[in-house]
Amino acid sequence: MPRATAACFVLSGLALLGIVIGQPLFTFVGSAMTTTLAATLVDRPFSITAVCFILLAAGFVWTQSSRRAYQSPVLGLTGLMVAAVGVTCCIGALSGAEDAFAWSSLNGVAFHTALGFFLLGIGAAAVAFGMTQPALRVPAWVPIGASVFLAMVRIGLWEAFSAKNQTKMDLLSNLTLFGGLSGAILFGVVIHLALKAHVQRETLRTVNLQLEKEMLERERAQQAAQAASRAKSEFLANMSHEIRTPMNGILGMLDLTLDTVVDSEQRDYLETAKESADALLTIINDILDFSKIEAGKLDLHTVDFSLRESLAQTVKALALRAQQKGLDLNLRVDPQVVDLVVGDPVRLRQILVNLVGNAVKFTRSGGVTVSVQNEFQDHQHVMLRFTVKDTGVGIPPEKLNEIFASFTQADNSTTRTYGGTGLGLTISRQLTELLGGRIWVESQLGKGSSFHFTARLGIAVETNVASSVTWAQSRA
C-alpha cells in the first residue's frame, strides 16, 4: 500500500473520530488533508481509490456542517457506497477478476486497499445508524443504502467478470445482472420491514417499562392511601369508643335524675336532653361500627339462638317509636323457617334496627312490615331472606344505587329533615356481606320501599320447624 493511501486511511479515520466525539475540528482538518493527498493517488487520469477518499471526505464535512436531519443519511449512504466498492474489489481480487469498477479511465483497487475501504465504510455507516437510534423511528436511508450497497456489489462483479470473460453483451449475463438488481431492491424492502419491526419492539418495550413504572407508583400510592385509611379508621374507632363511655355516663345520670322528684318544667328539659343524648349515642355507635368495619376489626360472634325470639325482641323495641307516629309495625315469619339457628344475633338485630328505624323515620302513615322466609336450606345451613317493607316517601330511581354508599342519603335535604349520619345503610350492607348475604332495595317514589337482605346461618343440632309467627303493634 502506498504511503499516501495509508495516510489517507489514517486521516479519514481521524475525521470519523471527530464525528464520534463531537470535535468538528478533527473532521474538517482530516477531510481537507485526505482530499489533498487523494489528488496524489492519480495514476492514469483518475483512480477509484481517490474517488472513495474524496467521497468520504465530502460526506464527513457535510455531516458536520449540515442540519441534523441530513447528517445521518449522507454519512450512512456515503459509508455504504465506499463499503460496496471495498467488498466488490475484495471479491474480484480473490477470484482473479481485478477489473471491478475499472471503467473508462478508472483504475482498479488492490485487495488490502479494498479491505480498508470496506472497514472504513462500514464504520461510517455504523456511526450514522447510531445517530438515528435515539429517535426510535425507521431511518429511510438504511434500506435505501442496503439496496445501493447490494446493487453496487452486483454491478461491480458483473463488470469484473464480464471484462474477464468478454461477455458484456451476452443475454444470460445481462439477465443475471437484472436479477441481481431486482434482488437488491427486494433486500432493501426486507431491511426496511426488519427495522420497522425492531423499532416497534423497542417502542413497545419502552411503553411497557413506562407502564410498569406507573403501575409501581400507583401501587405505592394505593398502599399509602390504604395505610392512611386504616390509620383514620383506627383513630375514629378509638375516638368513638372514648366518646361513647362518657355518653353512657351522661345517659345514666339523666335516667337517675328523671327517677327523682322534679317539677314538670325540669322534667321536660331533662327528657329533651336525654333524647339528644340518645341521638348522639346512636351517631357515635354508627361511626364506631363503620370505623371497625373499615379497619377490619369487626368480628362476628357465633352462638345458638332462637330466631323468632330474637326478631320479636327487636321489633318490640322499635314498637314505641312506631306507636308514637301512629304506624303499624308487623312481623311475619314463614312457618318453614327453622327457629334455632347458629349465627351472630347482635349483628342481625343491628341490620334490622337500621332498616326498620329508617322505615319508621321515612313513613308518615300506613305501616312497616318485617317478613322472613327461606331462600335456601340444606342439612347444615340456611339462607334466610329478610324484607322490611314500608309505605313511606319512597326513593327516586336514580338514587337507588347510591343509598348504600358511605355518608349518602337519597336526598340532600334528608339529613336536615330527618337527621342521621347516612351510615346506617352502609353499615347494614357491610354487615350483610359479613353474614354471607347481600342487600338490595325496591322502591316507588311516593308509594314506599322494600329493603331485602339475605343472611347465611347455621342450623343448630336441635331444630324443630316452628309454627307460623305473626306479631303486630297496632296504632295508638
Side-chain angles (χ1 to χ4, degrees):
M1 177 184 296
R3 293 180 180 179
T5 302
C8 285
F9 275 118
V10 173
L11 292 172
S12 297
L14 179 64
L16 182 61
L17 179 63
I19 297 174
V20 174
I21 64 176
Q23 294 292 334
L25 181 62
F26 289 179
T27 302
F28 290 129
V29 172
S31 299
M33 295 181 68
T34 299
T35 304
T36 303
L37 287 175
T40 65
L41 299 177
V42 178
D43 298 327
R44 292 180 301 192
F46 214 57
S47 169
I48 190 65
T49 302
V51 171
C52 290
F53 281 127
I54 294 174
L55 185 63
L56 282 173
F60 294 158
V61 172
W62 177 277
T63 301
Q64 291 289 44
S65 58
S66 65
R67 290 188 300 174
R68 187 173 184 84
Y70 300 104
Q71 290 178 350
S72 59
V74 172
L75 181 62
L77 291 174
T78 301
L80 287 175
M81 285 190 291
V82 172
V85 172
V87 71
T88 304
C89 292
C90 285
I91 295 173
L94 292 174
S95 62
E98 300 181 357
D99 292 324
F101 298 107
W103 302 334
S104 182
S105 59
L106 294 179
N107 290 334
V109 180
F111 175 78
H112 48 276
T113 303
L115 182 61
F117 281 140
F118 172 72
L119 296 177
L120 187 59
I122 290 297
V127 172
F129 186 73
M131 294 168 65
T132 65
Q133 285 298 297
L136 281 181
R137 58 183 179 84
V138 180
W141 67 266
V142 175
I144 295 175
S147 296
V148 171
F149 175 86
L150 193 59
M152 288 185 64
V153 171
R154 189 65 188 89
I155 292 172
L157 294 177
W158 175 80
E159 165 70 21
F161 288 106
S162 295
K164 180 179 179 181
N165 299 320
Q166 299 297 322
T167 59
K168 285 188 178 181
M169 302 304 295
D170 183 71
L171 178 61
L172 181 60
S173 176
N174 292 335
L175 288 176
T176 303
L177 175 63
F178 178 77
L181 295 179
S182 300
I185 296 174
L186 181 61
F187 180 69
V189 173
V190 172
I191 292 295
H192 172 75
L193 295 177
L195 283 175
K196 188 174 182 179
H198 169 73
V199 169
Q200 289 177 344
R201 285 196 301 270
E202 288 297 314
T203 303
L204 182 60
R205 187 176 68 87
T206 302
V207 172
N208 287 337
L209 290 176
Q210 184 65 26
L211 287 177
E212 290 177 1
K213 183 179 178 181
E214 291 179 359
M215 290 176 62
L216 182 60
E217 293 176 353
R218 187 173 299 178
E219 184 178 355
R220 290 175 179 173
Q222 183 178 2
Q223 291 175 353
Q226 290 175 350
S229 178
R230 285 193 299 268
K232 174 212 63 175
S233 299
E234 291 175 0
F235 171 77
L236 286 176
N238 293 332
M239 289 301 298
S240 299
H241 179 75
E242 295 300 326
I243 295 174
R244 188 167 60 171
T245 300
M247 281 303 303
N248 285 325
I250 293 173
L251 287 170
M253 291 300 101
L254 287 171
D255 287 335
L256 291 176
T257 305
L258 286 171
D259 289 338
T260 62
V261 179
V262 293
D263 58 39
S264 59
E265 184 178 5
Q266 291 173 332
R267 181 171 296 277
D268 183 57
Y269 292 159
L270 290 172
E271 288 177 349
T272 301
K274 186 175 184 303
E275 290 177 0
S276 299
D278 284 332
L280 181 58
L281 184 60
T282 300
I283 294 174
I284 292 171
N285 287 334
D286 285 346
I287 296 176
L288 176 61
D289 289 336
F290 179 76
S291 301
K292 283 184 176 180
I293 293 173
E294 289 290 306
K297 294 184 177 181
L298 184 65
D299 298 323
L300 297 179
H301 300 284
T302 304
V303 296
D304 296 353
F305 68 98
S306 170
L307 178 66
R308 287 169 175 78
E309 181 180 351
S310 176
L311 292 174
Q313 291 176 354
T314 302
V315 174
K316 187 177 180 180
L318 296 166
L320 179 60
R321 192 186 308 175
Q323 185 179 9
Q324 291 173 345
K325 295 189 67 174
L327 303 176
D328 291 333
L329 181 57
N330 304 309
L331 170 65
R332 296 189 180 94
V333 182
D334 191 281
Q336 298 301 317
V337 175
V338 297
D339 184 55
L340 191 58
V341 294
V342 180
D344 191 332
V346 175
R347 298 306 174 186
L348 184 61
R349 185 182 306 119
Q350 185 175 356
I351 298 172
L352 287 170
V353 168
N354 281 334
L355 296 181
V356 176
N358 281 342
V360 172
K361 181 192 300 184
F362 296 111
T363 302
R364 296 187 181 93
S365 62
V368 178
T369 301
V370 180
S371 59
V372 186
Q373 59 186 10
N374 276 344
E375 189 85 1
F376 168 78
Q377 181 176 341
D378 57 23
H379 295 295
Q380 296 181 341
H381 297 91
V382 60
M383 181 70 77
L384 298 179
R385 178 174 175 176
F386 299 81
T387 301
V388 178
K389 184 176 182 180
D390 64 63
T391 57
V393 296
I395 303 170
E398 65 273 10
K399 298 293 185 180
L400 291 178
N401 294 327
E402 301 178 6
I403 59 174
F404 294 106
S406 304
F407 307 103
T408 301
Q409 292 180 327
D411 190 344
N412 291 332
S413 63
T414 300
T415 301
R416 295 191 297 271
T417 304
Y418 297 99
T421 61
L423 289 175
L425 291 179
T426 302
I427 295 172
S428 298
R429 175 181 59 82
Q430 294 171 328
L431 290 176
T432 301
E433 293 173 355
L434 288 175
L435 291 173
R438 64 188 184 94
I439 188 170
W440 69 99
V441 61
E442 299 170 352
S443 181
Q444 290 185 353
L445 192 62
K447 294 184 179 181
S449 305
S450 295
F451 282 85
H452 309 272
F453 74 93
T454 57
R456 188 172 185 268
L457 303 173
I459 300 177
V461 177
E462 298 180 3
T463 300
N464 296 318
V465 176
S467 60
S468 176
V469 172
T470 301
W471 187 96
Q473 170 66 44
S474 301
R475 296 175 182 171

